[in-house]
Amino acid sequence: MTLPASTPVKGGGALGDLEREGVPRHVAIIMDGNGRWATSRGMSRSEGHRAGTENVRRAIEAFAQEGVEYLTLYAFSTENWARPSEEVEALISLIHEVIGPESENLHDMGVRIRHIGSLGRLSDELRCAIEESVELTENNDRLTLCVAFNYGARAEILEAVRRIVREGVDAESVDEQTFAARLHTAGVPDPDLIIRTAGEMRLSNFLLWQSAYAEFYSTPVLWPDFDSVEVGKAIEAYRRRRRKFGRLDG
Ligand code: FPP
């Protein structure tokens, strides 16, 4: 038996089933290469992050046009705090600067914003800005954007374990649903496609539980250059995959 190239998506949003066929329902992206993009142009790494941030809106629109329902972007990992303080401060203040105006734009585009990760260690102002963007957009349904900010998958898994223990859940009753419901991504389907730009091929503590059967796509294109043509190439590569979910046929 031959399985379909990729899982067809049913319902939701403005596109019908026909247009969506073979389109990943959930795409997650490790946006890499901002620094290399900048240094190859004689610019500072912070300018690379600004160019990467400007590309975020274009990418969201391109994925929405393709019929993707969930997009997760790895904006800042728990490990990124270990970068030089100047770069950390530049990244955090960049995100703080754009979150307000971008939330309004995304709201107009029908995008719902979710945050995954920890709000601890962030300033009160930034925490409030993130919470406001989530509240503003909570009723939108064109595309759900999960912003992984101050996110680390191991920390997320440990937090879920602590919650299960604290709630006194019977050990024998703990199954995959019990566990997934306590992750930051509760209610979000697992990613079908994980994209990493700038040629790297590692997960870097991103969605470790959720990516069990995700297809992986790596491209040498640097994140600020990952435009709608590249989005189309990634979706096309996904369409050609045979997803087997551990079975023999395919
Ligand atoms: C990796 O490039 C990129 C990051 C650590 C940050 C990604 C963040 C953004 C694009 C900011 C905006 C996000 C949102 C959702 C508003 P790198 O610095 O590791 O590049 P390099 O490997 O070439 O040095």
Side-chain angles (χ1 to χ4, degrees):
M1 191 185 86
T2 306
L3 288 169
S6 46
T7 321
V9 173
K10 298 212 171 40
L15 296 178
D17 287 354
L18 203 59
E19 291 97 318
R20 287 174 184 280
E21 195 150 335
V23 171
R25 188 176 185 201
H26 181 177
V27 176
I29 309 182
I30 303 170
M31 306 178 289
D32 205 354
N34 294 343
R36 276 165 277 179
W37 184 92
T39 47
S40 70
R41 287 167 171 74
M43 296 157 84
S44 69
R45 292 179 57 81
S46 301
E47 287 174 289
H49 291 312
R50 188 167 288 278
T53 304
E54 281 161 16
N55 194 42
V56 164
R57 192 189 324 145
R58 293 191 288 265
I60 296 168
E61 182 55 43
F63 280 104
Q65 292 280 351
E66 292 281 354
V68 167
E69 290 177 71
Y70 295 86
L71 184 66
T72 299
L73 299 178
Y74 206 3
F76 192 86
S77 76
T78 43
E79 289 70 33
N80 285 153
W81 292 106
R83 291 191 175 199
S85 57
E86 192 187 310
E87 181 167 345
V88 171
E89 278 158 30
L91 250 174
I92 301 272
S93 61
L94 180 59
I95 286 167
H96 200 165
E97 176 192 319
V98 300
I99 191 161
E102 280 310 324
S103 301
E104 298 286 345
N105 270 320
L106 293 171
H107 185 46
D108 292 342
M109 285 164 64
V111 172
R112 176 181 183 182
I113 302 174
R114 269 182 74 152
H115 168 250
I116 63 169
S118 167
L119 291 175
R121 212 172 159 172
L122 306 180
S123 67
D124 289 347
E125 292 80 10
L126 182 51
R127 202 177 307 131
C128 282
I130 292 172
E131 285 166 353
E132 278 169 17
S133 72
V134 170
E135 271 172 41
L136 173 71
T137 61
E138 67 186 346
N139 294 317
N140 295 336
D141 65 0
R142 183 174 174 221
L143 177 144
T144 297
L145 174 71
C146 300
V147 182
F149 182 70
N150 197 17
Y151 172 85
R154 287 186 172 181
E156 178 191 31
I157 288 170
L158 287 175
E159 204 179 304
V161 172
R162 282 190 211 104
R163 282 183 63 185
I164 289 170
V165 173
R166 245 187 267 122
E167 290 168 24
V169 180
D170 171 45
E172 298 314 311
S173 75
V174 176
D175 58 12
E176 293 188 8
Q177 283 70 36
T178 317
F179 194 75
R182 285 158 181 83
L183 294 171
H184 300 168
T185 49
V188 174
D190 284 346
D192 301 293
L193 175 65
I194 296 191
I195 297 174
R196 184 160 187 157
T197 57
E200 311 296 345
M201 300 198 196
R202 51 179 177 271
L203 276 177
S204 301
N205 203 16
F206 186 47
L207 302 178
L208 296 183
W209 169 274
Q210 299 88 336
S211 65
Y213 284 104
E215 296 293 323
F216 196 82
Y217 177 85
S218 170
T219 170
V221 174
L222 306 176
W223 173 251
D225 296 328
F226 191 83
D227 59 13
S228 59
V229 174
E230 297 303 327
V231 168
K233 285 188 203 167
I235 303 263
E236 196 40 44
Y238 174 82
R239 283 184 205 268
R240 290 195 298 269
R241 303 279 174 91
R242 294 281 175 272
R243 301 190 73 187
K244 302 199 310 188
F245 298 97
R247 295 175 299 217
L248 273 183
D249 43 6

